[in-house]
Amino acid sequence: MTSIQSPIPARMKGVNRAEICDVNFSEFVRGWNGVAKDAPGNDDSILEGSALDAGGFRELFESQLVSRHLDLMARVLRVQDKVFYTIGSSGHEGNAMVARLARHTDPAFLHYRSGGFMAERFRKLPGMDPVMDSALSFAASRDDPASGGRHKVWGSRPLWVLPQTSTIASHLPKAFGTAVAIEQARRIGHQLPIPDDSIVVCSFGDASTNHASAQAAFNAASWTAYQKLPVPVLFVCEDNGIGISVKTPDGWIAQNFSSRRALDYFQADGLDLADGYGRVRNAVEHCRMTRRPTFLHLRTTRIMGHAGTDFEIEWRSIEELCAVEATDPLLRSAAIALESGLMSKDEILALYEDTRKRCFAAAEAAYRRPKLSSLAEVVAPLAPYSPDEVRAEATRSDFADKRIAVFGGEAKLPERQAPKHLAIQINQALHDLFCKYPEALLFGEDVARKGGVYTVTRNLYKAFGNRRVFNTLLDETIILGLAQGFANMGMLPLPEIQYLAYFHNACDQIRGEAASLQFFSNDQYRNPMLLRIASLGYQKGFGGHFHNDNSITALRDIPGLVVGCPSRGDDAATMLRTLAALAKVDGRVCALLEPIALYMTKDLYEHGDGGWLTAYPTPEQAMPLGEGRVYLPEDGSAGDDLVVFTFGNGVPMSLRAVRRIGEKYGWKARVVDLRWLVPLNDAYIVEQARTAKRILIVDEGRRSAGVGEGIITAITEGGYGARPFRRVVGADTFTPLAGAALLVIPSEQDIVDAADSLA
Ligand SMILES: Cc1ncc(C[n+]2csc(CCOP(=O)(O)OP(=O)(O)O)c2C)c(N)n1
Ligand SMILES: [Mg+2]
């Protein structure tokens, strides 16, 4: 590209670089003294050798200007409290080329510097206004079509731009997942909501490529392509050479990405539309045609600082700043317009000022539009719940023939068999879900042929094939990214995480990403899923922290998440049906914590009593969200002398303990299995506490911020905090190996001892 000398007069070497970049543009145009060619026709190449025609250039240039003036407007109106976000796109406007060359139905997961991309994508559908839509988002108006005023995000339902959080690189795993999903749909006969040959566009900055989540996605895409499986994802690295204030080493991106054999590398100058366009087109077409993961290294620059609050003049030399500002892609676009003879100086300046007016007018209008004004409004899209529809869906059983075939005949249906333990019933319930939902997919580590570490998924692979039940690579971030991808494409993902500790390893994909999508898209996008996690302690002979992790806290405060924890097989089956229905009906992100130590448990009181085996519930049965199970005393009395609140492993343990407590003190006790841990059903807890003379809380999780704290809070806020109570809870520690593991979690004796202290 031709280098452009920065025309900054000495008087302008002040603090406000936005003003300087603004003035630079006009002065550059006025001062241009090149030779103009004869104006090209609309379909003629904009400059000799360029793949871009004049009509295309004009639109791209306009999109760049819209993006720039939205940035300039934000800087001005931010200080008047009319706009609430100033991270801009200045220097990155060339990403409009990617938008022009992709389709509006190619799902896009975008970098926050995507003003140019968005302005250009808006052209793809008639009657849409990028300026007003963006202004509403800048102003955090309730009418913002992207997020309903919840964030300044780039997002659009009709344009297939899924809004992203500002957590660097966190969107790459789900972009990869969505690309896999586009291909998987055909293999399982699922109708995609977009054309079959769609690609996924995923953009990010140069510094972001170093993030573990980004590396996970590049690796997973390469791992997949290496096996000759399609992954039509276009990774667009917008390389401005810096991340806030940290420079990316010269040449690092090219060196790191240009020679990976299963990731196809393209380079393009995003500062120069005439030069960059053909190369961007090559990358987009390559990705679409070959269905291979493609890495487009797009040269950009960053002018006006990282955000409005970043006064670069305080930490960079003026010479360096001027040099960066001289690479402003809008100067280059203006030069192209002049050189090609397409626009005169006056036309460019008029377009520049008109666009400024348009952006300011839209911003002022957006400022007067309503804001979110109540908590109820803010959280409305967070956790939609339609109990009647969920119940109807959970108990829908119109797949009788399929299940008879899958289970091998009517006589072999699981409800006709003798009572079984937890692992088998989860397995049978999964078979039923797979019959019910042809779009259901189950994946994770070792889940296919092996059937999981605990055989919970055994034979699913045989029954439903490797397209619906498959092993992933060993990366929980990617497992959860895949889940989001399948969900984005309308499938029902059932990802499995092998152990709870390894959920913590990848938690942000649920905490920051999946669970936030309905909120930040104002419920326009949903990524329903049913996540299964082998969890909790008490395993015999298989010890150590990482296989016995009992921290539930990390799941408890994820807004919108639903978490169930069954203690027995029939509950697991009916809970799975409700979770799947919550996903299908309300788009919810759901998790089932499966207590590993109960998977194979058959007995309750004595060896061989079979007291923890249960009959398989027929498909018309489902467990309502929030409903617990009460175990009354054997004489059928209300059990008010002592009420034990618990879940998971605590249930059979408490049942054994209350027997001993009854023998000792004559107390009639009832045990309440809460079953649903998130959200806790406060009203239900209070109702159980109301008649209790004494209360015990048996919580196998950790003391701090665990479920037990939630139960106590519910009881106290419900007005029964004065009832004598004790909490039996895990210690705030990691779990040691061997027998010592049992020292850190509640035991039957601990429960009896706690009752002693209540006596
Ligand atoms: C996980 C995470 N860590 C840190 C940040 C704070 N942060 C925001 S942008 C940024 C730099 C990103 O640089 P780059 O990827 O090059 O994008 P650019 O802003 O230059 O376009 C950082 C550190 C973040 N948003 N997310
Ligand atoms: Mg950067």
Side-chain angles (χ1 to χ4, degrees), residues 281-301:
R281 189 180 61 194
N282 291 347
V284 174
E285 284 179 0
H286 174 83
C287 185
R288 197 178 309 281
M289 299 301 293
T290 64
R291 322 301 288 161
R292 278 174 59 84
T294 304
F295 188 97
L296 172 60
H297 183 186
L298 190 69
R299 181 176 171 222
T300 61
T301 189

Side-chain angles (χ1 to χ4, degrees), residues 92 111-113 166-168 205-208 211 240 242-244 306:
H92 286 244
H111 191 38
Y112 43 74
R113 303 203 193 281
S166 65
T167 307
I168 284 300
D206 45 297
S208 303
H211 199 281
N240 59 20
I242 198 164
I244 302 188
H306 176 72

Side-chain angles (χ1 to χ4, degrees), residues 547-601:
H547 303 113
N548 289 276
D549 193 341
N550 62 335
S551 168
I552 301 161
T553 306
L555 293 150
R556 280 196 73 216
D557 76 336
I558 299 179
L561 186 69
V562 179
V563 182
C565 181
S567 64
R568 45 190 257 182
D570 53 352
D571 283 359
T574 53
M575 197 177 258
L576 276 166
R577 291 167 191 163
T578 297
L579 291 170
L582 277 163
K584 290 302 291 183
V585 173
D586 288 319
R588 301 290 291 274
V589 178
C590 303
L592 187 73
L593 297 185
E594 300 175 358
I596 300 168
L598 296 177
Y599 271 149
M600 306 309 237
T601 299

